Amino acid sequence: MGKVSKGVKCTVTGCANDAVRSISSEEVSKAGLKVSSSGRAYLCKNHYREMKKKLKKDREVERWRLMR
Ligand SMILES: [Zn+2]
């Protein structure tokens, strides 16, 4: 995870916002977001938040599965 230089756009398909975070595209696709590039993905504020939320939910589901 790292900072993003100015002018870089969010790599989520259909999004044209400025990116605020770079993250591995693996993580992003794990969260169910579509990215157009492989390797590094860049996320805008909105998609970064969305990704965090989804990854957290997945982890909670996993924990719930382990408990049963
Ligand atoms: Zn975006």
Side-chain angles (χ1 to χ4, degrees):
M1 225 188 291
K3 280 192 179 165
V4 175
S5 43
K6 273 193 179 165
V8 178
K9 301 289 181 196
C10 178
T11 44
V12 174
T13 311
C15 182
N17 292 329
D18 287 330
V20 291
R21 293 274 195 214
S22 87
I23 200 157
S24 81
S25 56
E26 241 172 73
E27 287 279 292
V28 177
S29 53
K30 235 190 275 172
L33 294 171
K34 281 216 172 83
V35 287
S36 44
S37 67
S38 56
R40 251 18 232 160
Y42 298 93
L43 294 180
C44 65
K45 217 189 284 171
N46 292 343
H47 278 121
Y48 182 66
R49 204 184 300 153
E50 200 181 316
M51 190 207 69
K52 281 280 207 185
K53 219 191 284 172
K54 288 199 175 150
L55 289 182
K56 196 173 161 223
K57 210 182 277 172
D58 278 359
R59 232 170 283 152
E60 273 164 18
V61 169
E62 230 163 79
R63 207 187 304 149
W64 179 78
R65 273 201 209 113
L66 288 173
M67 265 161 38
R68 282 163 64 96

